[in-house]
Amino acid sequence: MHTIDAAMKELIAPHVIGRDATEIEGIWQTLYKSNFWLGRMGVTVFAQSAVDMALWDIVGKRAGLPLFRLWGAARTEIPAYGSGCFRGFGARRHDPAREGIHRAGAQGNQMQVAHIRPWREDVENVKAMREAMGGGVEIMIDVNMGWDADTAIQAGHRIDEFDPYWLEEPVIAEDFTGYRRIRGRTSRRASWAARATSGRQDLRPFFEAPHPVPILQPDPMRGGFTELRKIAAAAEPWGIKLAPHLFHETMVHVLASIPNASWLEYMDWNDDLWIEPILPSKDGTMSPPERPGHGLAFRPEVLKEFRVGGTRMKG
């Protein structure tokens, strides 16, 4: 966080202060190009993303519209899946973890595999999850780039028996050929979690035949709302859907405004920060708030406890 703070003060603020908040595209391009040699991805883009999302919030409030309506509402409900069955739990902990998520109303549940167990044991854990969940609830599997393509194909064939919805990030971010091989040799969706890339430029190989990846999972920290909406527009003609990584509180606006929305990832990590948190409904969907901008407000005690400094940055 100290590094991001330094990037914000030294590399971002001097290009932003004094400009009108409606110059969102111009500011985005200035920040990206001015820091390209230094970052292109990582900390500088994280800081840029925070500014981008704040600017859209300002514009939404000026217009008196929630972001999803400002962008052109496509829907008001998005199916949600709960993400919280971490790989450290093991088979014995899948059911209790699932229960907590399922009670929250999510229609699907995501579990992790790879890294700390052999893939055959991971397959057994997927089996245990399916037995605990029964039918009618989707199971998503997150590999976090923990396999190579051959292992992903071998494990994928076994996992297919338990009808998972997707296999997220099966191989490292740069293995474009590996993703195509997995997509071509398994029946399971091989999704691409774009949190490991810098944005739409690095996603270009996934728009190409043969075997385009059917689901992209871009991260809002890799370019903010502006970049996410460009990724959605680039993916839509290829029949590729978006299921953004984390931050359901803000991603609900993106998915409610694009034609190629997939699932919304629900994590309860930040629910206690907001005066009015965004929660799954009883039918397992989530809806964007109708309040202007992104519609979020920190609880006063949170702001008081975590306030840092208090001085205004100067250009």
Side-chain angles (χ1 to χ4, degrees):
M1 296 302 294
H2 291 294
T3 306
I4 295 175
D5 182 58
M8 186 74 76
K9 291 176 179 176
E10 297 177 12
L11 302 173
I12 302 297
H15 298 290
V16 176
I17 292 173
R19 299 184 67 168
D20 191 281
T22 60
E23 299 175 38
I24 295 176
E25 181 63 30
I27 290 172
W28 198 100
Q29 294 294 335
T30 296
L31 294 177
Y32 189 74
K33 292 175 181 177
S34 64
N35 292 313
F36 187 88
W37 68 276
L38 182 56
R40 198 177 83 83
M41 62 174 69
V43 171
T44 58
V45 178
F46 283 13
Q48 174 177 343
S49 302
V51 169
D52 181 82
M53 297 172 79
L55 293 177
W56 277 114
D57 182 49
I58 291 170
V59 170
K61 287 173 178 173
R62 282 191 187 179
L65 291 171
L67 290 179
F68 81 104
R69 295 199 182 280
L70 181 72
W71 293 327
R75 61 188 57 79
T76 57
E77 295 180 341
I78 302 99
Y81 71 94
S83 185
C85 292
F86 300 111
R87 58 179 54 88
F89 286 167
R92 291 177 297 174
R93 288 292 304 278
H94 283 321
D95 188 54
R98 180 270 303 179
E99 288 296 338
I101 292 169
H102 196 53
R103 281 197 300 271
Q107 294 183 11
N109 181 46
Q110 179 156 282
M111 60 181 292
Q112 294 180 327
V113 298
H115 291 287
I116 65 173
R117 290 188 179 85
W119 68 263
R120 288 180 175 85
E121 188 173 341
D122 287 325
V123 171
E124 291 302 312
N125 286 340
V126 175
K127 178 183 178 181
M129 176 65 77
R130 175 51 73 197
E131 290 172 349
M133 298 293 290
V137 177
E138 300 291 357
I139 295 176
M140 289 76 167
I141 300 172
D142 192 352
V143 187
N144 293 121
M145 300 184 286
W147 291 332
D148 56 32
D150 290 331
T151 302
I153 291 168
Q154 190 173 14
H157 283 304
R158 294 282 301 278
I159 288 172
D160 275 347
E161 179 183 346
F162 309 110
D163 192 29
Y165 190 83
W166 69 45
L167 195 65
E168 179 178 337
E169 263 190 335
V171 297
I172 62 171
E174 295 87 358
D175 190 3
F176 305 118
T177 302
Y179 273 91
R180 290 204 187 95
R181 287 180 58 209
I182 296 165
R183 175 62 177 154
R185 295 182 60 184
T186 67
S187 61
R188 193 52 41 209
R189 301 170 181 87
S191 72
W192 171 254
R195 62 180 179 268
T197 71
S198 63
R200 66 192 184 280
Q201 300 295 348
D202 285 356
L203 294 175
R204 289 170 63 183
F206 294 100
F207 301 149
E208 301 171 356
H211 312 306
V213 173
I215 300 172
L216 296 177
Q217 298 181 274
D219 192 307
M221 295 185 292
R222 303 289 181 170
F225 289 133
T226 296
E227 186 69 4
L228 280 169
R229 289 178 47 75
K230 289 181 179 180
I231 291 171
E236 194 268 337
W238 297 87
I240 298 172
K241 293 186 176 183
L242 258 65
H245 176 236
L246 292 179
F247 309 116
H248 65 274
E249 302 94 333
T250 52
M251 294 303 93
V252 67
H253 285 283
V254 174
L255 291 189
S257 68
I258 61 174
N260 50 334
S262 180
W263 288 78
L264 191 63
E265 182 173 18
Y266 172 61
M267 298 280 281
D268 62 1
W269 290 346
N270 299 322
D271 288 349
D272 60 343
L273 299 180
W274 317 117
I275 294 175
E276 296 183 64
I278 313 301
L279 302 172
S281 64
K282 291 182 179 179
D283 67 356
T285 61
M286 303 187 83
S287 299
E290 292 287 352
R291 299 181 291 274
H294 54 51
L296 296 168
F298 285 109
R299 291 164 52 191
E301 59 269 32
V302 173
L303 288 178
K304 182 178 180 181
E305 182 178 358
F306 293 101
R307 182 178 180 86
V308 176
T311 59
R312 185 182 181 90
M313 279 194 270
K314 298 179 181 179

